[in-house]
């Protein structure tokens, strides 16, 4: 028997490589591979020596059974509907914390002390302006430019205003200032893309306002009149941003890690994450959910018809906001958002007919064998669009809101990957193309 590992020792403070092993029989040669075990007893087989020792690779399209890294940031259990940031249950953070406090927790690993939080918030507040030359970029976008396209390009462009951020190795303070600039400026960039799309003058950030109030002020205030932020709306936004802040190795976080592993700047890696999030199967789903609910209402609120369409394999239509790669039970975020939506609509006296359709759609789907057999439940995107509507966010800005919330998680994932000095990501493949053949001149083809 050949052992595909050096003699891993179970160290006290990092129970990663357990003493358990897996055996693999390849062409009558038995190999032993180390088993790794996380702090929540998740187990994996370390295959890092597989190819050099056996010539074989593994194949797992979409990485459904493949771990790309070890991480201490977010734990989720899809079977039990558990989600924790650095060990804190999402339910407690959504109820008790602020978005910037959660950002600090995700990025630096622990809840900040009072003075740490005050310093973090104060420094972020002072980075909310963007270079006046960047304001001119908005003149170049078409009026109906999708704000995710604007966001991705503006964040990438930030790296050109801070060329020192492009160094392959950054000092800790250079990393911290880049982190603060990104968290501060993304809300200004997002709000200004909305103002520009409406032909309105942009509103500058106000240092007297907190993060959520500042964003709402930049989005909805007009220079011609006083604007008071509604505390119910601000609190709902704080909850939404916290719920979206991280979600372990999802498509966009993995994209940020992949892009960052080449030592591209953090701005470039985040811009790549924005692009990955944009897809309708990922963060773009919240916009698609509202479009789907509107379509149901316009076609006479026939929920059963939409359910049948989602089950029909001949169409590539899916029930947007339903299903999840990891959650095979309820998505804890969907439950919190649904509760928050109910209370916010009541407090605002807003009776959104789409909420009634969404609730009916959930009830019918969850009693249908097709959805039950496939463990398809509402995910974070199913109700979030209704809450964004209630606080006045336009539909094509929903995924931008997802990006605003997810930014600290992307940053935390990038920082962990760089702090752990992980190698450049470069997966292998199984080639299925033509075997070697000789060039044929065009006359003979
Ligand atoms: C997010 O990964 C994360 O953590 C993501 C996220 C985060 O916080 O970062 O949680 C945010 O992206 C939430 C997901 C938002 N996307 C949507 O709501 C789009 C609709 N949902 C799906 O397209 C789908 O459920 C995925 C993409 C979310 C998950 O797809 P998987 O894990 O690849 O599952 P699958 O495509 O293999 O589906 C398994 C079966 C298939 O049917 P069969 O081939 O077995 O017959 O379930 C069916 C699918 O057709 N199915 C659906 C469905 N989702 C899956 N059928 C109808 N409607 C759906 N929504």
């Amino acid at each position: 028997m050949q052992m595909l590992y050096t003699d891993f020792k179970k160290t006290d403070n990092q129970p990663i490589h357990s003493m358990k092993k897996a055996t693999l029989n390849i062409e009558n040669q038995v190999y032993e591979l180390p088993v790794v075990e996380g702090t929540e007893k998740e187990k994996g087989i370390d295959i890092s020596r597989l190819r050099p020792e056996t010539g074989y690779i593994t194949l797992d399209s979409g990485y459904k059974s493949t771990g790309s890294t070890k991480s201490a940031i977010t734990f989720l259990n899809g079977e039990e509907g558990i989600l924790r940031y650095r060990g804190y249950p999402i339910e407690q953070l959504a109820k008790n914390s602020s978005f910037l406090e959660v950002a600090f927790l995700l990025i630096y690993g622990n809840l900040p002390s009072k003075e740490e939080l005050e310093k973090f918030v104060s420094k972020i507040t002072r980075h909310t302006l963007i270079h006046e030359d960047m304001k001119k970029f908005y003149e170049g976008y078409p009026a109906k430019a999708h704000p995710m396209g604007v966001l991705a390009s503006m964040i990438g462009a930030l790296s050109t205003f801070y060329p020192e951020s492009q160094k392959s190795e950054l000092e800790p303070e250079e990393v911290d200032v880049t982190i603060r600039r990104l968290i501060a400026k993304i809300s200004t960039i997002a709000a200004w893309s909305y103002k520009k799309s409406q032909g309105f003058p942009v509103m500058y950030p106000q240092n007297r306002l907190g993060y959520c109030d500042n964003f709402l002020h930049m989005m909805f205030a007009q220079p011609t009149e006083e604007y008071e932020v509604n505390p119910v709306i601000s609190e709902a936004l704080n909850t939404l941003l916290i719920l979206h802040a991280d979600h372990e190795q999802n498509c966009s976080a993995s994209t940020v890690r992949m892009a960052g592993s080449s030592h591209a700047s953090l701005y470039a890696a985040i811009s790549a994450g924005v692009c990955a999030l944009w897809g309708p199967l990922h963060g773009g789903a919240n916009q698609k959910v509202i479009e789907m609910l509107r379509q149901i209402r316009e076609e006479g609120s026939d929920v059963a018809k939409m359910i049948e369409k989602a089950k029909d394999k001949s169409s590539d239509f899916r029930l947007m906001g339903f299903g999840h790669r990891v959650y095979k039970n309820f998505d804890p975020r969907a439950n919190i958002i649904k509760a928050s939506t109910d209370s916010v609509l009541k407090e605002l006296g807003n009776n959104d007919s789409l909420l009634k359709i969404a609730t009916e759609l959930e009830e019918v789907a969850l009693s249908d064998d097709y959805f039950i057999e496939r463990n398809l439940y509402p995910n974070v995107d199913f109700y979030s669009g209704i809450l964004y509507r209630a606080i006045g966010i336009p539909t094509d800005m929903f995924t931008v809101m997802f990006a605003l919330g997810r930014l600290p998680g992307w940053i935390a994932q990038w920082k962990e990957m760089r702090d752990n000095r992980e190698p450049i990501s470069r997966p292998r493949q199984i080639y299925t193309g033509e075997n070697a053949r000789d060039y044929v001149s065009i006359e003979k083809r």
Side-chain angles (χ1 to χ4, degrees), residues 64 247 250 280-283 285 310 313 318-325 328 333 370-371 374 376 379-381 402 406:
K64 295 192 174 185
H247 215 239
N250 57 84
L281 296 187
H282 189 15
K313 291 297 177 196
R318 290 188 159 191
L319 203 56
M320 301 315 279
F322 255 76
H324 198 276
R325 172 60 56 77
K328 299 309 173 190
R333 300 167 298 176
Y370 174 93
F371 291 85
R374 294 168 179 78
L376 302 177
N379 58 48
V380 66
D381 294 309
F402 195 143
R406 185 54 52 87

Side-chain angles (χ1 to χ4, degrees), residues 67-74 86 106 246-266 268-274 276 409-426:
S68 58
T69 189
K70 301 186 290 282
S71 179
I73 300 168
T74 291
R86 299 284 187 184
L106 285 168
D246 191 55
H247 215 239
E248 57 136 277
Q249 306 309 315
N250 57 84
C251 176
S252 51
S254 300
T255 302
V256 169
R257 279 182 173 257
M258 175 81 79
S261 73
S262 71
H263 288 198
S265 80
L266 176 55
I270 297 297
S271 176
V274 171
W410 286 334
I411 291 170
Q413 298 286 346
W414 172 88
K415 189 173 183 296
E416 183 177 70
M417 178 270 302
R418 291 299 308 272
D419 287 351
N420 292 347
R421 308 193 73 76
E422 292 189 17
I424 186 168
S425 292
R426 201 274 183 223

